[in-house]
Amino acid sequence: MVSPAGNDHQHLPNCTQVHDPPGVFFSLGGYSGNHYHGFADVLIPLFVTSRPFDRQVELLVIDTQPWMVNKVKTIMQALSRFVAFSFCHEYDEVDIDRSKQDGKIHCFSRLVIGLKGRGRKELGISPLETDYTMKDFRQFLRSSYSLRKTRAIKKNPMMNNPQLIIISRKGSRAFTNVNEIAGMATKLGYYVKVVEPDDKTMSESAEMMNSCDVVVGVHGAGLTNMVFLPDNAVVVQVIPLALDWSAKIYYEEPTKEMNLRYLQYKIKKEESSLIGRYSPDHVVFTTPWSFKWEEFRSIYMQNQNVTVDLRRFRPTLVKALELLHD
């Protein structure tokens, strides 16, 4: 059991242990296992909540799993000298779940319940909550993961080719002609890597993304890794059919506060795998907003892949080069 250590103890049990550092109590449950929600709903709000304590704060984490600890421990250890996971005895200072069973009472002079700014702004920081900005958060990430590249290169014949990463997704919203896209980008002067972020640790993803100048990806959680990009890098979001609204809210708008450049490529129905299952005049193409959420999600988010028209897409990659030159 966790209890506040205040002056009025009349109705409180005696403390088994009093903790000097203040505490921040929060959950890693819900959708936080998803890469986007892990940042938008937990890690960014945790930064806003914990950073003012200058690491002199105890993080009390519940509803998590060992794989999640491995994913976020670098960030949490950069925010706090004291991290207590409810299940993981390797890091425990307070075993929260066990304390409820054995009757131990842990007391804090100050305890923050929940995280500031959660849900206030998609992949961003609301100025209503704090003076911290996404620039501060990105600098914190660079420091935490020892990322060296602070700015995207400018296109110059005397310099190395700009690095372009193509995010390859598994399952839905995947490129079906990723090799052809990579080949075209190489001919335009990019040094190209095709990567699957799901196969990387957070540290590997951070280093990989920080090394590149342009990232290309179909709308999805993999684009969340743009938080690790150097300043002035270019984000190219490929937008599948009917996903314009979420593309704008979740990824286009956040780039404005991250000092990143943004380009988008909206596919035509001929570039969607849905054209192989529905006729061109089907309601799927004419009025996608007529579907209820579960149906919409199934059709457009879970069962749609992209075959990019190379001729149409080429000017977008050329424009990205021009933005690096500016």
Side-chain angles (χ1 to χ4, degrees), residues 22-317:
V24 173
F25 186 90
F26 64 100
S27 168
L28 280 178
Y31 292 105
S32 61
N34 172 277
H35 197 54
Y36 174 86
H37 289 286
F39 272 93
D41 300 342
V42 178
L43 296 179
I44 295 174
L46 179 62
F47 169 80
V48 171
T49 306
S50 303
R51 192 65 167 171
F53 294 105
D54 194 24
R55 297 193 72 231
Q56 300 303 311
V57 61
E58 189 157 357
L59 302 183
L60 309 171
V61 191
I62 61 170
D63 301 327
T64 188
Q65 298 294 328
W67 66 268
M68 192 66 177
V69 173
N70 291 329
K71 181 177 180 179
V72 302
K73 68 180 181 181
T74 298
I75 292 176
M76 290 193 177
Q77 289 171 348
L79 287 171
S80 170
R81 295 176 54 206
F82 317 97
V83 183
F85 295 100
S86 62
F87 68 91
C88 183
H89 298 289
E90 179 182 355
Y91 296 101
D92 270 353
E93 295 208 3
V94 181
D95 188 339
I96 300 167
D97 289 341
R98 189 175 60 189
S99 293
K100 291 188 292 185
Q101 297 171 6
D102 62 20
K104 289 184 178 179
I105 308 298
H106 296 270
C107 298
F108 294 81
S109 58
R110 180 181 178 187
L111 188 62
V112 180
I113 308 295
L115 301 176
K116 291 183 179 179
R118 193 166 188 167
R120 281 270 191 173
K121 199 166 189 179
E122 297 297 343
L123 206 61
I125 297 174
S126 170
L128 300 175
E129 296 285 346
T130 179
D131 291 333
Y132 289 116
T133 66
M134 283 302 292
K135 179 180 178 181
D136 298 319
F137 179 68
R138 278 165 43 77
Q139 182 57 46
F140 163 75
L141 290 178
R142 287 177 189 149
S143 175
S144 301
Y145 288 101
S146 302
L147 305 177
R148 292 176 293 179
K149 189 171 181 177
T150 60
R151 189 177 180 87
I153 69 169
K154 288 191 175 183
K155 177 64 177 172
N156 187 312
M158 303 300 294
M159 299 177 65
N160 294 331
N161 290 359
Q163 294 196 48
L164 180 145
I165 283 180
I166 300 175
I167 297 176
S168 178
R169 288 175 57 91
K170 296 177 180 178
S172 66
R173 283 170 283 148
F175 288 120
T176 61
N177 60 338
V178 68
N179 291 334
E180 289 82 355
I181 298 170
M184 179 178 67
T186 300
K187 291 178 182 178
L188 288 174
Y190 290 102
Y191 174 74
V192 182
K193 292 182 181 180
V194 179
V195 301
E196 293 184 0
D198 288 346
D199 295 336
K200 307 288 185 183
T201 65
M202 186 82 87
S203 180
E204 289 170 339
S205 292
E207 185 174 350
M208 172 189 69
M209 293 295 287
N210 181 252
S211 71
C212 83
D213 306 290
V214 179
V215 60
V216 174
V218 180
H219 172 69
L223 283 173
T224 307
N225 287 306
M226 67 186 187
V227 295
F228 299 116
L229 288 171
D231 289 348
N232 279 10
V234 182
V235 176
V236 180
Q237 180 174 205
V238 176
I239 306 175
L241 295 181
L243 298 183
D244 308 54
W245 58 277
S246 57
K248 180 178 181 64
I249 293 171
Y250 296 134
Y251 297 107
E252 178 183 354
E253 290 296 328
T255 60
K256 298 175 183 178
E257 297 182 11
M258 296 188 198
N259 198 19
L260 301 173
R261 313 290 186 90
Y262 176 83
L263 295 172
Q264 66 182 32
Y265 177 83
K266 294 172 61 174
I267 73 168
K268 292 186 174 181
K269 59 186 174 184
E270 292 80 11
E271 297 170 272
S272 170
S273 62
L274 297 177
I275 198 67
R277 301 205 307 274
Y278 304 96
S279 63
D281 59 351
H282 194 278
V283 66
V284 162
F285 300 113
T286 58
T287 53
W289 55 87
S290 63
F291 293 98
K292 293 182 179 179
W293 168 244
E294 286 303 322
E295 238 182 334
F296 180 96
R297 183 168 176 263
S298 174
I299 294 171
Y300 300 104
M301 301 182 72
Q302 297 179 333
N303 289 284
Q304 179 178 198
N305 290 325
V306 174
T307 304
V308 168
D309 182 329
L310 298 182
R311 183 175 295 181
R312 284 191 68 233
F313 189 51
R314 187 179 187 277
T316 304
L317 294 183

